Amino acid sequence: MRAVDLELAQRCRHGDAEAFEELYRAHAGRLYNLVFRMAGSQAEADDLLQDVFLHAHRKLGSFRGDSSLGTWLYRLAVNHCLDFLRGRQAKMTRATDSLDEEGASEPATTVPSVPTAVSRIDLERAIARLPDGCRAAFVLHDVEGYEHNEVGRLLGVSEGTSKSQVHKARMKLRAMLSGIA
Amino acid sequence: MSCQDYEALISDYVDGDVDEAQRASLESHLSTCASCRAVVTDFSVIRAATLTLEAHVPRPDVWRRLSAAIEAEPKPFFGLGGAYWWRALAPAAAMVVLVVALSWTAGRLSPVATERLARVATGTGSEPVSIVAEYQLAEQNLTNTIVGLERIAADDRSTLDMETADVLQANLTVLDGAIGESRDALQKEPENDVAQQSLFDALRQKIALLQDIIALINEMRKGNQEGAARIVSGLNQ
């Protein structure tokens, strides 16, 4: 726990606008990358980031310093993204996969190889096209660097489900980057 | 084992998350299976490419919109998880709710508050009715919060050592004095904004102090000297 976090949170709670801007400047970048890749588009990421910080502003009273302010905000952002994805999923008419189900992967045998030099743009586009459920696990594990047990905790699924979703995401990315999907 | 059986292992293998037996078994299979070998290669390429992804930066207008949204938010009076007492008062329904609230709360307030509310309700004050009445309700909510916190703090205050308890009590007494002075000033001049804000400030400070006292008691009960010292340090500031 960091005393500086507690002090910053306290200043924000007392309506110190400069303190809240300090909080935003310190954490917006990391959270934006998360929400951008979880949501899959810039427009939705902008709205999500705003919502996350607005929610944080309202909830700072519940921050007790049990974890760092960054971790607290990150969890808040993940939960917000999951709510958003679930809401979007509920609205969608075409079926994707749920956030915790173990769906089928692309067949391994029918896919030509991924080019050895994958461009960042192609990879970003392919990540954005992943189904919401496996994209969330993939982003947290492969992009954000969390272990499967941590991903499971963040997403509210088992470690095994996190593994299978990441594997599924990789198989889909493989298919997309090979040009067959 | 078939390719399908090995496929589940490939992600773990690429992540370096297999034991020796699994590694040996999979590598033996890979030496004879071009299809699974291709999956391993592709996963490794994807893993490596993921590490090169660039950071996205939020556009400046995100902060502008956010700060405007926060500016439009009601200001917290409680500091306890963001309880905004007037959030339920949508503008169109505010007056209806207010009339109900006035009649409901009139019997529960102190004599001074009741007198002021009655004056507000009959429109004899010079301030707009809604503003003055909101002050009254806000004050009552702050006071209720204080009463609840005082009850919690009083139950366990014996956990604190005498010296700390005396210092905290002295601080509470100072704040009670400030609250009393502000209320006296408001009784004489009900529309005095400075006195009103001073009263709110003192009430909020008392809530913050009571919250810190309760947190300190909790840390002392848990035997967390470090946590207790941090709270005391905050109090000293």
Side-chain angles (χ1 to χ4, degrees):
Chain A
M1 187 185 349
R2 298 165 61 206
V4 67
D5 280 350
L6 283 171
E7 187 198 342
L8 186 59
Q10 192 169 25
R11 285 169 57 207
C12 293
R13 277 201 295 269
H14 290 139
D16 184 337
E18 284 183 13
F20 195 74
E21 183 166 1
E22 192 180 319
L23 179 82
Y24 177 84
R25 302 287 174 210
H27 299 283
R30 185 179 179 217
L31 298 184
Y32 188 69
N33 279 290
L34 172 74
V35 300
F36 188 106
R37 295 196 174 102
M38 291 276 265
S41 82
Q42 185 178 28
E44 287 168 328
D46 288 351
D47 289 344
L48 268 173
L49 186 71
Q50 181 182 330
D51 287 348
V52 166
F53 274 95
L54 198 55
H55 196 56
H57 184 260
R58 293 169 183 157
K59 296 271 290 178
L60 268 166
S62 68
F63 176 71
R64 290 285 175 264
D66 299 329
S67 59
S68 74
L69 203 44
T71 302
W72 183 81
L73 281 167
Y74 198 89
R75 286 206 186 100
L76 202 70
V78 169
N79 288 334
H80 214 77
C81 286
L82 292 178
D83 287 345
F84 168 79
L85 294 177
R86 288 189 182 108
R88 183 166 70 181
Q89 214 161 42
K91 287 178 196 167
M92 286 171 73
T93 50
R94 67 185 173 88
T96 58
D97 57 345
S98 75
L99 292 176
D100 52 7
E101 76 178 2
E102 297 186 34
S105 295
E106 299 297 317
T109 53
T110 59
V111 178
S113 289
V114 170
T116 49
V118 176
S119 81
R120 287 190 286 256
I121 294 173
D122 287 344
L123 182 56
E124 287 279 17
R125 282 185 185 146
I127 292 171
R129 287 176 57 202
L130 286 172
D132 288 343
C134 68
R135 186 174 61 244
F138 177 83
V139 167
L140 289 171
H141 185 270
D142 279 21
V143 182
E144 297 285 316
Y146 284 92
E147 299 294 331
H148 283 297
N149 60 342
E150 297 169 312
V151 174
R153 273 200 298 276
L154 283 165
L155 297 182
V157 299
S158 70
E159 184 177 340
T161 299
S162 169
K163 281 188 177 188
S164 67
Q165 291 285 25
V166 169
H167 180 75
K168 180 180 170 184
R170 288 172 177 170
M171 292 301 276
K172 286 186 177 294
L173 287 174
R174 180 176 183 244
M176 285 189 261
L177 294 168
S178 303
I180 64 158
Chain B
M1 285 174 68
S2 67
C3 288
Q4 202 172 358
D5 297 323
Y6 280 112
E7 192 192 305
L9 261 185
I10 289 178
S11 269
D12 287 343
Y13 178 75
V14 171
D15 292 338
D17 193 20
V18 288
D19 59 32
E20 277 309 310
Q22 289 171 319
R23 177 187 300 278
S25 174
L26 181 61
E27 286 180 349
S28 170
H29 173 72
L30 292 176
S31 69
T32 60
C33 180
S35 173
C36 286
R37 216 165 40 239
V39 176
V40 171
T41 303
D42 288 349
F43 277 15
S44 300
V45 168
I46 291 167
R47 274 295 255 162
T50 303
L51 297 175
T52 68
L53 288 175
E54 288 182 333
H56 296 285
V57 179
R59 291 183 295 201
D61 72 301
V62 176
W63 168 250
R64 279 199 293 273
R65 283 191 287 138
L66 174 64
S67 56
I70 287 171
E71 189 63 29
E73 288 268 293
K75 299 290 180 279
F77 274 152
F78 285 83
L80 285 171
Y84 300 96
W85 65 270
W86 64 84
R87 188 173 287 159
L89 293 180
M95 284 310 295
V96 176
V97 175
L98 187 61
V99 169
V100 175
L102 286 174
S103 52
W104 183 80
T105 55
R108 294 167 174 260
L109 301 177
S110 66
V112 173
T114 305
E115 182 192 331
R116 290 170 66 195
L117 265 185
R119 185 178 49 72
V120 168
T122 54
T124 53
S126 58
E127 270 188 283
V129 170
S130 60
I131 299 292
V132 180
E134 282 184 5
Y135 281 158
Q136 302 287 350
L137 288 170
E139 181 186 337
Q140 189 61 37
N141 275 295
L142 288 167
T143 304
N144 290 343
T145 302
I146 286 172
V147 169
L149 290 171
E150 280 178 332
R151 195 174 299 129
I152 296 167
D155 285 345
D156 290 316
R157 201 171 293 188
S158 59
T159 311
L160 301 174
D161 64 72
M162 292 285 286
E163 189 181 348
T164 305
D166 287 347
V167 171
L168 293 173
Q169 186 54 53
N171 284 328
L172 286 171
T173 304
V174 169
L175 288 172
D176 283 339
I179 291 167
E181 285 174 13
S182 300
R183 282 189 171 136
D184 288 346
L186 278 172
Q187 197 169 13
K188 290 170 190 160
E189 293 179 77
E191 283 82 38
N192 184 333
D193 280 342
V194 175
Q196 187 69 69
Q197 290 310 315
S198 296
L199 175 60
F200 284 155
D201 285 345
L203 289 169
R204 285 191 205 108
Q205 284 178 38
K206 186 169 180 182
I207 287 172
L209 179 56
L210 285 165
Q211 286 174 327
D212 284 340
I213 290 172
I214 291 167
L216 179 60
I217 289 170
N218 284 336
E219 296 301 331
M220 297 290 282
R221 290 173 71 184
K222 287 189 284 185
N224 183 357
Q225 296 297 326
E226 189 188 338
R230 193 179 54 254
I231 293 167
V232 170
S233 166
L235 287 170
N236 289 338
Q237 287 170 12

